[in-house]
Amino acid sequence: VGERRPGLKAAFEDRTGAAGLLRRFLDEPIPGGARWGFVFGSVVLVGLLLLAATGVAMALYYSPSTTSAWASVHHFQTEVTLGWLIRGLHRFGAHAVVIALGLHLAQVLLAGAYRAPREVTWWTGLLLFGLVMAFAITGFLLPWDQEGYWATRVTAGVMGLAPGIGDGLASVALGGTEIGNLTLTRFYALHVVLLPAATLALLTAHLYLFRRHGPTTPPEAKARPPEAFWPGQMFRDAVAACILLAVVAAVTIVSGGATLHAPADPQASWLARPDWYFRGLFQLLKYFPGHLEVVGALVLPGLIAGWLFALPLFDRAPGATLRRRWPYLLPVGVAALGYALLVVLSYRDDAADPAIRARLESQRQADARALVLAAGGVPVDGAGALMARDPLIQGRSVLERHCTETCHAFGGPRPDPETAAPDLGGYMTRAWLSDFLRDPASDRFYGGTAVDGMDPVEVEGEAFEALVDFLMALRDHPGVPEPEWPESLRAAAEASYYEHACDDCHSLSPDEGGFGGPSLNGLGSVWRNRKLVAHSGRGLFFGGMAEMPRFDERLQEAELDAVARYLTSLSMGEAVLARD
Amino acid sequence: MLWSARMRDTAEKLTPPEGAAFDEGEPAADAPADAGRRTLLGRASAGLALIVAWALATPPLVALVGAWRRPSIRREETWVDVAGLDGLAAGRPVRATVHGTLRDGWMRHEGVPLGSVWLVRGEGVEVRALSNLCPHLGCGVDLIEGGRFLCPCHDSIFELDGTLVSGPARGGLPVVPARVEGGRVLVDATALEGEEPS
């Protein structure tokens, strides 16, 4: 076997053949020369490597259980050095892979590269596309946030539509009939072990077959001499890979990373939206009535996938010009355009609906609150329990369930003004109180209720401010300092109260109401709001004129407390949220 | 160019060293202009490939090494009440469990056992807290008959004041910062490993 050259490199090469192997890879002849059009496959490959690299980094910090998954992702996102960046690169890298795959697929379709003898290359490519979708579905659940949880419910529902085997299929995927610990461990194992292994195997086959048959040269380039992969094509591929990485990094940095939504909460409703690449399927489901749902969810996507798989079997005529092949590609083109249209429609529908915008805004608030609550670490029973115990979240959700759509507005759109109860946006803040005093019987306040008999307070300037000061000073809360004001001002404020004959109707007593008006004792405090929500018809408040239901009969004690704290926090700040 | 000449020479012998040989790959080295272009393209490709490799290698490395600079598992409370002074007698060490808050990655455990210390009272009110952890390799030490501490792993033996009697440990039992306040003994839960005895 020839004469051996001395030296470490040569010895290494003799033992391993590594350089020779590399050389064989790099000297692959490309018929017709290097082209920018050939970069998409490499871009997908680099994208997958980015996902693997960032995925390994996240796996070092991830814990797949319902009590710890969200907390561990939150920890990675907020406390681990560059964690937010790594997670963002993973999320947006996945989006980039989907886009690059789409471009790769389009290029292969247009070039006719799926035709004989490359059918198997094509099929392995389609299967890889399917694997990427499976990665997307399993990965979406892993943070165990509301978005992932509810999206997975929808996915499981779609699987359940499969005739005959649906329920069994969904049960196997979820590890039971509900989404829980077993779903997380399953999805995690799929996402980090099984799917990567399958991807590696298929990718190897795909690349081997690609090398076996070579790229499909466009007819106009056939006359040009072949060129080795290195350096011409390698340069183009490397430039494209760098562009991919730069774009993904830029999107991640500009957007501040991937959003971590509030922890999964099976009892709340959540307006879940899939990522954009599943938005078309999502929108499609809106157009099919119940009994036909399986058509939109499984039959149509199945037909398109089936057509793609069967393409090389139909399209066999020699001479691969696009002009001859268009009838085979037409269904694919129509499907692609239709899908893009559905994606656009889905986003347009959401943007046009004020209720959805309001809902998304309230969800964003829940997301932000979760980050605040989890900042000091999450207790053993998990982030979900942390959220459930929080008066802000709990109070707001009770209000949304019982009040805001039917009776009280919340700064936003109002229910029927004839019957509406006061708008609680900014309840008992200085601004709310001032507006109220100036026009208590307006639609915004008590105009739609039976207690609309209070006259507007018609004073201006300092006297009015003094009155507001007096009312603001009635509230108290352990740990929240009372406003500091000189005795003279206090006296002036009190004088203002009596001067305006407030005491003709209102009392300041903790035990009894006034003549027609409620007692103002502790106005704006947590404990007063709790009493008011529990039973506004007691003598202390509105008596027989009260129209609000008794919520002590409808809510649990903790819910009542949460509502009172939440309402109070609007004017007294978040200090009143703490229970201890 | 000596370098390229040597490369071509090597290439002919079919045992090229890694990488560099492809700058001057065999088939298209016909025109000098083309060869120059190939060299440039090759260097640019190698540079870009290095950037890609760096971008891919950085995330897992950062995630691994990040814990070096900022430990994710840590005790958060400092002074923790572990015992009453009245329960301690001179010359009779008591093992006291230290309860406190443990920040373990994303979790916050409150009131969990963080470890234990040996409280050794002197003749007066002064109390010395000795680490429960042997300075040799970190096993928990036991009190044995005859009033000494024994490490069950490698048989180091310590006096009640923590000084080393025998065994492979390099020094005595480390001292955990402790103080007495209002008849209660407090120890610093963040320093349960203790400090070298002075």
Side-chain angles (χ1 to χ4, degrees), chain A residues 539-564:
Chain A
L540 191 61
F541 301 124
F542 298 111
M545 291 196 293
E547 292 162 284
M548 187 165 84
R550 286 185 64 159
F551 278 99
D552 55 355
E553 291 171 351
R554 298 187 169 203
L555 298 178
Q556 296 161 15
E557 186 53 42
E559 291 177 315
L560 202 56
D561 180 65
V563 169

Side-chain angles (χ1 to χ4, degrees), chain A residues 200-438:
Chain A
L200 194 64
L202 273 174
L203 210 55
T204 311
H206 192 71
L207 290 176
Y208 162 75
L209 291 167
F210 168 71
R211 284 300 298 266
R212 183 175 166 85
H213 300 296
T216 309
T217 313
E220 72 273 12
K222 285 232 166 83
R224 273 190 260 146
E227 186 185 334
F229 177 80
W230 177 275
Q233 189 62 44
M234 171 72 189
F235 176 72
R236 288 167 174 79
D237 286 1
V239 168
C242 284
I243 291 174
L244 169 91
L245 293 176
V247 169
V248 171
V251 170
T252 305
I253 290 165
V254 169
S255 67
T259 311
L260 178 62
H261 294 278
D265 179 1
Q267 63 93 34
S269 64
W270 186 268
L271 190 107
R273 290 287 182 262
D275 268 337
W276 56 267
Y277 43 84
F278 282 135
R279 274 289 183 111
L281 271 178
F282 162 81
Q283 182 76 2
L284 189 63
L285 292 181
K286 289 188 187 170
Y287 302 125
F288 287 90
H291 61 288
L292 286 180
E293 192 155 37
V294 67
V295 176
L298 295 171
V299 176
L300 276 181
L303 280 177
I304 293 164
W307 182 259
L308 286 172
F309 268 93
L311 256 186
L313 304 180
F314 301 145
D315 182 5
R316 302 172 67 96
T321 60
L322 194 53
R323 205 181 288 263
R324 288 243 199 107
R325 290 187 292 115
W326 72 265
Y328 301 113
L329 298 186
L330 189 65
V332 182
V334 170
L337 280 180
Y339 197 83
L341 183 68
L342 285 170
V343 173
V344 172
L345 281 177
S346 168
Y347 280 100
R348 215 197 50 180
D349 282 3
D350 277 6
D353 188 339
I356 286 186
R357 279 196 311 242
R359 189 66 186 274
L360 290 175
E361 179 50 37
S362 109
Q363 293 183 178
R364 266 192 289 278
Q365 287 174 8
D367 297 345
R369 182 68 183 163
L371 297 185
V372 170
L373 289 178
V378 170
V380 192
D381 51 359
L386 185 69
M387 291 286 278
R389 279 195 296 268
D390 179 44
L392 183 70
I393 300 291
Q394 206 187 6
R396 193 189 282 146
S397 105
V398 169
L399 272 173
E400 275 170 9
R401 257 181 288 152
H402 290 279
C403 317
T404 49
E405 273 172 26
T406 47
C407 303
H408 293 282
F410 227 85
R414 289 186 201 159
D416 181 5
E418 293 297 312
T419 57
D423 187 328
L424 296 178
Y427 181 63
M428 286 294 161
T429 53
R430 200 178 178 89
W432 190 93
L433 207 50
S434 305
D435 291 350
F436 164 76
L437 290 174
R438 296 220 180 274

Side-chain angles (χ1 to χ4, degrees), chain A residues 5 9 12-13 19 22-23 26-27 46 49-50 53-54 56-57 60-63 67-68 71-72 75-76 79-82 86 89 227 230-232 234-235 238-239 241-242 245 375-380, chain B residues 9-11 13 15-19 21-23 25-27 37-39 41-46 48-49 51-52 55-57 59-60 62-64 66-67 69-70 72 74 76 103 105-109:
Chain A
R5 283 168 62 93
K9 272 187 182 173
F12 182 73
E13 177 58 16
L22 184 65
R23 189 184 177 81
L26 294 180
D27 281 350
V46 171
L49 289 174
L50 173 69
T54 49
V56 167
L60 288 169
Y61 289 85
Y62 181 69
S63 165
T67 43
S68 57
S72 68
H75 176 253
F76 186 73
E79 293 204 36
V80 173
T81 314
L82 292 185
I86 295 172
L89 291 175
E227 186 185 334
W230 177 275
M234 171 72 189
F235 176 72
V239 168
C242 284
L245 293 176
V378 170
V380 192
Chain B
D9 180 47
T10 320
K13 288 186 176 159
T15 52
E18 263 184 287
F22 308 110
D23 283 352
E26 71 264 83
R37 185 181 146 272
R38 283 176 60 84
T39 310
L41 269 184
R43 285 189 184 148
S45 302
L48 292 174
I51 292 177
V52 172
L56 295 181
V62 166
L64 259 179
R69 276 179 41 209
R70 188 189 163 103
S72 300
R74 57 186 187 271
E76 290 205 327
R103 184 70 192 279
W106 49 88
M107 290 263 162
R108 183 184 184 84
H109 302 279

